[in-house]
Amino acid sequence: MKKISVITPMYNGEAYIRQCIRSVQDQSEQNWEMIIIDDGSTDRGPLICEELSREDDRIRLYRQKNGGVSSARNKGLDLAEGEYVFFLDSDDMIHPRLLKEMVKQAQGYGCELVFCGYTCITGCPDGETCNENVLRWQTAGEKEVKEWFHKKYTNEMSGIGGKLIERDAVKTLRFDERLSNGEDTYFLYQLVCKGICSAYTSSGWYYYRMHQESVTHSADIRKADRYYECSRRIRDSEYRRGNLDYALTWEVLLTGQIEKNHAAQRGNRGIAAAERKHPMFRRMYLSNQVLFYSCFYCYPLYVILKRVMVILQDDLHIYSMKDVREAFCRISGRKGDSRMKREIADVGILTFHCSNNYGAMLQAYGLKRYLQSRRIRTDIVRYEPVYMTGRHWWIPYSPIKGVKGRIWGVLNMWNGFLAHMRMREDFSRQRRNMNRFRFRHLVDKRKHRVLFERGLTRLPYRYYVVGSDQIWNPHITCGLRRAYFGAFGNKQKKRVIAYAASFGSSELDSKYDREFSELIGHVDAVSVREEAAVPYVERLSGREVTAVLDPVFFLEKEDWRKVETEPEREGFIFLYITEKNEAMAEYARRLSHETGLPVVEVRATMIGADADFEVDHRAGPSEFLGYIDKADYVVSNSFHAVAFCIIYRKRFLAFAHSNLGARVRNILKIHGLLEKLYELNGNSAVDWQRAREQMETPVDWDEVRRKTKEQTKLAGDFLMKNIVGQNRCI
């Protein structure tokens, strides 16, 4: 029995069919058959297929009258004899190892569907692409596959090309020949609804050829009501199932398809009118609704609004007319909807989003996501002072005060700048990865940057959340900064809330006490990240202070996986060092020797182990998460590395930081994991046996998760009480 049946529909494929067939013949997996269905071609394509089939009897050509691509694929499914079917269009190509790697995943993980990313080509794939030798796979069960299809990998799962499917999973399922568009998407939707497991790699080993002949969206097709039928069917099916989040995804896609083909539809507004009556239409952003109306009734206005609304819908978070009423209630002070007792707050977060630091950016994302999930309109303020952004190039992490301090700072600036220049390619790529995460998940690049404190006086937010990083650590901010206490004049400002603010230790040097005591008076509600810091802040502020969790714990493991980037390797020890620690490096080396796993170190700064480990200088926050998620062991003295080990439930050992150890100790104590903290006795070497036992100590992760939920509830209550509780519209 053949392992794989490659199904290739062809219509006038003379120009590319030979390359297509050769890419199958070049596969490292040779147990296959290739079924080519000629759908009434009028060129020499069938003759080329016959020629190649005489040379290789695994290639089989079948002819039929022109019935469309769905008809041809269905014919191929009827004729297939392999354990798996693989769909390949006649003008596309595949990587020489793709089929073998896919079958390996399908059999190894019991997956009924295996697929990969796409690479658009104009000629033959280049040598670099073909020589790629690393694939990073993700696997998903029945529930997660649906999330992939509807939300995470909608584009990748919308086409049938490059999909390896177990034939027993297909059974009698066939492509709907009545659909003029999206027939492959609907086929995959029906397959996903059956409840299947899947594997996916983002590597673009399916080579998709874009050329004029491949464009099938003619005006005649666009005019057909069937052109939108796929999106409409999926939308209605998910709506009936009660999956409104999924249904909304397809509603937005459907209205976008109708808008895109407005020229063909302006003469028949019935389709647009019918769409506006669907309940899901009213659940879209108000901006989407306005665009849809203007497209059919005032197209010149639509062209203008299309550019403007993309910005507004992200900034305003206005979904419906109900949200407009709530906003009006907030502005006018009048009574709003009787069912709505609380208005949506205007919150600006002041934090270290502009720092190229993994923890700083990830905690900012966690806090923003949490507030938005509570329907609180939230932005991270683009406050980017030079003493923070300059750190990416030359400014050292130390206060620069007095003549000696300035001289020392200038010398260290040049050291940092020259170090970055020596590794400029890696440094440049890391900055791109940092900025990609920053502008995709934290701030809108189009928004105005605030470089100086006086710029904060013109911001529109009424509520400011300061935190949750080391915003009160003068060694990072080059002295205590008024902005991070909300100590700036602003007519709109009504309340400042400190959430999980940190010194990095239990208290400040006594020389800062007076200044801190004055600045803390500008904060209306105070919470800190380290429990050990509570007495110090209460003593200087004279009021109650709450210890809360870092906001990264607001999100679940599945939430973080949506923004992570998986590493290009499997089986490794992850090492992340935030200060020089030879004992940690020696422990990682010994662990590597004992387990046979390589050590992979990630560096966001010049600080590292200075050992013969594999070092990634290019990783951004997404890559940092991926390394922790996929590591077999994690060794670190970083607070956020330890936090994500808890979230991802990893085998880890935390080393105490020399002067910032209170943070790590606190988070481990909260979760009952103090046995995972290794503390050195002076300059002594690591006690290997003790450290190994601590690493391998079993953890009751259910109990850890219970403690996390308990603490995040208290933290969430603190935020809601001080934002929503102070912000009523009755």
Side-chain angles (χ1 to χ4, degrees):
M1 181 178 182
K2 295 295 185 184
K3 184 71 70 178
I4 307 168
S5 295
V6 180
I7 298 174
T8 301
M10 179 183 69
Y11 176 75
N12 289 346
E14 175 184 357
Y16 308 110
I17 188 61
R18 189 182 297 274
Q19 292 178 0
C20 174
I21 295 173
R22 292 299 188 198
S23 74
V24 177
Q25 290 179 312
D26 291 340
Q27 291 296 301
S28 54
E29 170 62 63
Q30 287 292 302
N31 188 10
W32 51 262
E33 63 174 355
M34 187 172 187
I35 302 171
I36 303 172
I37 308 299
D38 175 48
D39 192 39
S41 296
T42 58
D43 63 359
R44 294 185 66 256
L47 297 179
I48 295 173
C49 294
E50 288 177 351
E51 173 193 336
L52 295 175
S53 67
R54 286 193 292 269
E55 299 173 2
D56 190 337
D57 59 8
R58 293 173 299 179
I59 302 169
R60 296 152 53 191
L61 174 67
Y62 297 89
R63 297 193 179 195
Q64 66 176 29
K65 293 182 179 179
N66 183 262
V69 68
S70 294
S71 172
R73 287 178 179 143
N74 287 339
K75 179 72 171 178
L77 285 172
D78 293 338
L79 296 169
E81 298 176 357
E83 295 178 48
Y84 300 93
V85 293
F86 179 85
F87 293 93
L88 174 64
D89 287 348
S90 62
D91 49 359
D92 298 338
M93 302 170 65
I94 53 177
H95 188 282
R97 282 176 38 217
L98 181 60
L99 295 184
K100 185 173 184 177
E101 294 290 341
M102 283 187 160
V103 170
K104 181 180 177 181
Q105 292 297 314
Q107 294 180 336
Y109 294 96
C111 298
E112 292 94 343
L113 169 65
V114 184
F115 63 106
C116 67
Y118 291 86
T119 298
C120 186
I121 61 172
T122 54
C124 288
D126 57 40
E128 181 180 352
T129 303
C130 284
N131 291 331
E132 186 178 355
N133 56 14
V134 176
L135 284 183
R136 297 172 296 159
W137 291 94
Q138 302 176 56
T139 57
E142 297 179 9
K143 184 177 181 181
E144 193 175 357
V145 170
K146 294 178 181 178
E147 183 74 15
W148 282 10
F149 180 83
H150 294 290
K151 305 287 286 186
K152 190 173 183 179
Y153 298 127
T154 303
N155 289 335
E156 291 85 346
M157 298 185 74
S158 62
I160 199 64
K163 306 296 188 295
L164 182 82
I165 307 173
E166 189 180 65
R167 194 155 63 96
D168 288 343
V170 176
K171 294 183 179 178
T172 59
L173 180 62
R174 295 295 183 266
F175 294 86
D176 191 333
E177 299 179 18
R178 297 171 298 174
L179 294 177
S180 60
N181 178 56
E183 70 290 332
D184 45 359
T185 304
Y186 193 67
F187 176 88
L188 289 168
Y189 172 68
Q190 292 175 294
L191 187 67
V192 167
C193 287
K194 286 185 173 185
I196 60 169
C197 295
S198 182
Y200 165 69
T201 176
S202 59
S203 296
W205 281 16
Y206 184 92
Y207 305 123
Y208 170 73
R209 195 187 307 274
M210 177 61 74
H211 55 88
Q212 188 60 36
E213 289 80 4
S214 68
V215 179
T216 60
H217 298 173
S218 66
D220 290 337
I221 291 178
R222 289 199 300 268
K223 289 178 182 178
D225 185 53
R226 290 287 179 185
Y227 181 77
Y228 311 106
E229 186 64 21
C230 170
S231 299
R232 188 177 287 135
R233 285 187 192 179
I234 298 175
R235 187 265 324 265
D236 291 343
S237 177
E238 293 305 305
Y239 179 72
R240 288 192 298 269
R241 294 168 187 255
N243 300 324
L244 300 186
D245 192 31
Y246 292 162
L248 183 59
T249 298
W250 291 94
E251 175 65 17
V252 173
L253 178 62
L254 174 59
T255 55
Q257 289 175 330
I258 296 175
E259 285 178 21
K260 184 178 179 180
N261 301 308
H262 70 281
Q265 296 297 344
R266 275 184 294 179
N268 180 12
R269 292 177 178 167
I271 293 176
E275 189 55 41
R276 294 197 303 270
K277 296 177 182 178
H278 196 280
M280 290 308 303
F281 183 83
R282 294 188 293 275
R283 289 179 176 268
M284 293 196 304
Y285 282 126
L286 177 64
S287 55
N288 289 118
Q289 298 177 39
V290 171
L291 281 172
F292 194 79
Y293 276 99
S294 62
C295 181
F296 287 90
Y297 295 98
C298 186
Y299 188 74
L301 177 62
Y302 168 81
V303 174
I304 299 172
L305 291 178
K306 183 69 174 178
R307 299 177 181 177
V308 176
M309 287 295 190
V310 171
I311 301 173
L312 291 182
Q313 71 180 23
D314 290 334
D315 291 346
L316 299 180
H317 293 276
I318 294 178
Y319 291 82
S320 63
M321 287 305 298
K322 178 181 177 181
D323 290 338
V324 174
R325 288 195 296 272
E326 293 176 3
F328 177 75
C329 172
R330 178 178 67 250
I331 296 169
S332 65
R334 299 182 183 181
K335 287 186 177 182
D337 192 326
S338 60
R339 295 170 295 177
M340 189 272 296
K341 300 298 182 183
R342 297 173 180 175
E343 68 170 354
I344 299 176
D346 292 322
V347 174
I349 299 174
L350 281 166
T351 189
F352 291 162
H353 74 279
C354 57
S355 172
N356 280 355
N357 176 280
Y358 303 128
M361 297 173 73
L362 293 169
Q363 60 82 22
Y365 176 75
L367 182 57
K368 179 182 178 182
R369 275 288 309 275
Y370 174 76
L371 291 174
Q372 288 182 341
S373 71
R374 295 300 185 270
R375 290 185 64 80
I376 295 175
R377 204 171 76 189
T378 308
D379 288 328
I380 293 177
V381 179
R382 285 201 70 185
Y383 179 51
E384 301 176 6
V386 68
Y387 57 81
M388 291 305 300
T389 55
R391 292 280 164 63
H392 311 329
W393 292 93
W394 53 72
I395 297 180
Y397 278 92
S398 184
I400 304 175
K401 290 190 174 182
V403 176
K404 291 183 179 179
R406 289 190 176 92
I407 295 173
W408 178 88
V410 169
L411 294 175
N412 277 271
M413 286 179 190
W414 280 109
N415 287 338
F417 181 77
L418 293 174
H420 287 143
M421 290 302 98
R422 284 195 296 270
M423 51 175 290
R424 56 185 178 275
E425 182 179 345
D426 286 344
F427 176 65
S428 177
R429 188 165 297 186
Q430 184 189 74
R431 277 180 57 80
R432 286 200 298 271
N433 287 332
M434 292 286 188
N435 285 330
R436 183 182 297 113
F437 185 91
R438 181 178 294 115
F439 296 125
R440 182 177 296 176
H441 302 296
L442 300 183
V443 296
D444 187 340
K445 189 175 183 179
R446 296 162 294 191
K447 282 199 169 184
H448 179 66
R449 294 170 62 195
V450 179
L451 301 179
F452 304 100
E453 184 184 312
R454 62 176 178 270
L456 299 173
T457 63
R458 298 188 293 271
L459 295 177
Y461 308 103
R462 298 193 301 162
Y463 298 85
Y464 289 85
V465 176
V466 294
S468 59
D469 213 335
Q470 298 180 57
I471 56 169
W472 295 343
N473 185 343
H475 296 286
I476 289 180
T477 56
C478 300
L480 295 176
R481 297 288 173 167
R482 299 179 62 84
Y484 295 116
F485 291 84
F488 52 85
N490 186 307
K491 293 182 180 179
Q492 301 295 324
K493 183 182 69 175
K494 291 196 173 184
R495 193 170 180 81
V496 178
I497 302 103
Y499 181 80
S502 174
F503 313 117
S505 59
S506 58
E507 59 182 59
L508 295 174
D509 190 288
S510 59
K511 66 182 180 181
Y512 292 108
D513 287 358
R514 183 175 180 181
E515 185 180 4
F516 180 82
S517 180
E518 184 272 325
L519 290 173
I520 197 68
H522 294 272
V523 183
D524 298 289
V526 184
S527 67
V528 293
R529 190 169 63 187
E530 286 79 40
E531 188 175 359
V534 170
Y536 174 77
V537 180
E538 286 186 335
R539 177 169 61 85
L540 293 184
S541 65
R543 55 187 148 146
E544 182 182 358
V545 177
T546 306
V548 294
L549 276 185
D550 188 279
V552 297
F553 288 100
F554 279 133
L555 305 186
E556 302 282 355
K557 173 174 60 176
E558 292 74 18
D559 298 316
W560 288 113
R561 280 179 171 164
K562 293 177 182 178
V563 297
E564 77 175 34
T565 299
E566 292 188 2
E568 297 181 350
R569 55 157 57 249
E570 294 181 356
F572 60 91
I573 299 164
F574 178 65
L575 177 67
Y576 182 55
I577 291 178
T578 55
E579 69 169 350
K580 293 285 186 181
N581 191 319
E582 293 180 5
M584 278 184 66
E586 182 57 35
Y587 172 76
R589 185 182 291 107
R590 178 75 181 271
L591 182 63
S592 174
H593 177 73
E594 292 287 332
T595 61
L597 298 172
V599 177
V600 178
E601 181 185 356
V602 165
R603 297 185 188 178
T605 64
M606 298 296 107
I607 299 173
D610 291 335
D612 54 346
F613 302 142
E614 177 184 331
V615 181
D616 187 347
H617 292 282
R618 305 175 176 185
S622 296
E623 291 76 18
F624 176 79
L625 290 175
Y627 275 118
I628 294 179
D629 188 14
K630 299 306 177 185
D632 291 82
Y633 298 91
V634 178
V635 180
S636 183
N637 58 2
S638 158
F639 171 85
H640 280 103
V642 171
F644 281 106
C645 284
I646 296 172
I647 293 171
Y648 282 119
R649 303 186 174 192
K650 306 301 296 183
R651 282 188 293 187
F652 73 97
L653 186 63
F655 279 72
H657 195 285
S658 60
N659 57 9
L660 302 177
R663 303 185 301 156
V664 175
R665 173 179 287 277
N666 182 67
I667 200 65
L668 292 175
K669 180 182 177 182
I670 288 173
H671 290 90
L673 294 172
L674 276 175
E675 70 275 8
K676 293 293 185 180
L677 178 65
Y678 188 93
E679 298 188 78
L680 292 166
N681 297 320
N683 295 321
S684 62
V686 174
D687 182 340
W688 164 253
Q689 188 60 35
R690 177 164 69 94
R692 183 70 164 144
E693 289 175 358
Q694 286 183 249
M695 171 71 84
E696 298 295 347
T697 300
V699 176
D700 184 350
W701 288 114
D702 291 335
E703 177 63 14
V704 170
R705 180 65 190 129
R706 185 190 67 77
K707 291 178 178 179
T708 301
K709 283 189 173 182
E710 182 181 288
Q711 292 297 318
T712 53
K713 184 180 186 305
L714 293 174
D717 289 345
F718 171 83
L719 273 174
M720 294 302 101
K721 179 181 73 174
N722 287 287
I723 298 176
V724 180
Q726 300 292 328
N727 185 29
R728 297 179 179 274
C729 179
I730 302 175

